Amino acid sequence: DSGVTQTPKHLITATGQRVTLRCSPRSGDLSVYWYQQSLDQGLQFLIQYYNGEERAKGNILERFSAQQFPDLHSELNLSSLELGDSALYFCASSSRDQNEKLFFGSGTQLSVL
Amino acid sequence: SQQGEEDPQALSIQEGENATMNCSYKTSINNLQWYRQNSGRGLVHLILIRSNEREKHSGRLRVTLDTSKKSSSLLITASRAADTASYFCATDAIYNFNKFYFGSGTKLNVKP
């Protein structure tokens, strides 16, 4: 168990809908990362937060947004969903802002029908 | 793209054999990490090697880093069926070390 909690584990929704994925980092970790993994693909970096502030942005679509709250949990919001958004979404946390190993949650499997 | 790329994409070996996976990347880095992913699960950190290190060991794992060739290798010795998983390298970028880029992974199958 990595100590990173992601909910829900599975999410099935329809095109055009909006969903929110939630992540609770390991106790004491200030940094949260979001990744998208499509079927049999590598992980695409979406965004990173550190202590409530956005630190780095990757290939995150404008339809997607994220935030990190004062209690350090993070949410990834996906709107106007398309079939191609179906993927495994991972959250990872680390204790520092940079150069640290990441602890991954078990992911949220999103299926857009 | 900064993204690392693993080679081969798939590797099938017998239990007890050694497995070698390679990773190449494009720009200068601060460090390189290797992760393992069992099917459909979260990634688990295996080892981190810094840009000023050339080799690192952890149990049955040996990682090398050649910054002149922008490549790394992961060697798993005396493999076991439980080592069956996908293996990913992750790199940061020397001027943008908040971003960790992952490759597409090597799928390792260890046959009992």
Side-chain angles (χ1 to χ4, degrees):
Chain A
D1 183 11
S2 67
V4 178
T5 303
Q6 285 189 251
T7 57
K9 290 193 186 304
H10 301 277
L11 198 48
I12 301 174
T13 188
T15 55
Q17 295 298 305
R18 172 190 169 95
V19 296
T20 297
L21 312 183
R22 183 187 168 103
C23 169
S24 294
R26 287 189 325 157
S27 177
D29 281 358
L30 299 178
S31 200
V32 170
Y33 296 76
W34 285 98
Y35 285 88
Q36 178 193 55
Q37 185 178 35
S38 301
L39 191 63
D40 289 334
Q41 297 293 311
L43 279 75
Q44 295 294 319
F45 170 72
L46 296 179
I47 198 163
Q48 183 225 356
Y49 282 86
Y50 178 78
N51 203 19
E53 293 186 7
E54 182 184 306
R55 287 292 190 162
K57 218 165 185 176
N59 299 321
I60 187 166
L61 300 173
E62 285 190 12
R63 300 183 286 109
F64 296 180
S65 65
Q67 55 183 344
Q68 187 179 28
F69 295 87
D71 67 353
L72 302 177
H73 91 271
S74 178
E75 292 181 357
L76 178 67
N77 300 297
L78 315 176
S79 61
S80 302
L81 285 168
E82 302 175 359
L83 296 177
D85 297 327
S86 295
L88 199 47
Y89 290 85
F90 285 109
C91 164
S93 74
S94 68
S95 57
R96 288 168 51 188
D97 189 17
Q98 56 194 247
N99 293 338
E100 283 287 318
K101 65 182 183 181
L102 303 180
F103 293 86
F104 280 80
S106 56
T108 293
Q109 179 67 60
L110 174 66
S111 298
V112 182
L113 305 178
Chain B
S1 166
Q2 169 65 34
Q3 197 168 32
E5 287 299 328
E6 292 87 350
D7 171 64
Q9 290 188 330
L11 182 60
S12 185
I13 59 174
Q14 292 293 139
E15 211 166 24
E17 294 180 340
N18 295 343
T20 300
M21 289 157 268
N22 303 296
C23 170
S24 60
Y25 56 93
K26 295 182 179 178
T27 62
S28 298
I29 60 172
N30 293 296
N31 64 59
L32 184 144
Q33 304 180 47
W34 285 91
Y35 288 80
R36 184 186 75 209
Q37 182 182 34
N38 289 83
S39 181
R41 300 194 171 209
L43 280 73
V44 175
H45 180 266
L46 295 175
I47 198 164
L48 180 154
I49 186 166
R50 303 204 183 276
S51 59
N52 61 354
E53 298 175 312
R54 291 297 167 257
E55 189 171 312
K56 208 161 182 180
H57 296 256
S58 177
R60 294 184 296 112
L61 306 180
R62 172 178 168 249
V63 169
T64 61
L65 179 64
D66 187 335
T67 53
S68 67
K69 294 181 180 178
K70 292 186 172 59
S71 67
S72 172
S73 67
L74 170 67
L75 169 67
I76 303 174
T77 60
S79 61
R80 306 166 182 167
D83 295 328
T84 295
S86 290
Y87 292 82
F88 295 87
C89 68
T91 57
D92 63 0
I94 197 162
Y95 296 116
N96 203 347
F97 29 66
N98 294 94
K99 295 184 181 182
F100 288 92
Y101 293 92
F102 287 78
S104 301
T106 292
K107 279 189 177 178
L108 174 65
N109 180 33
V110 182
K111 294 176 282 188

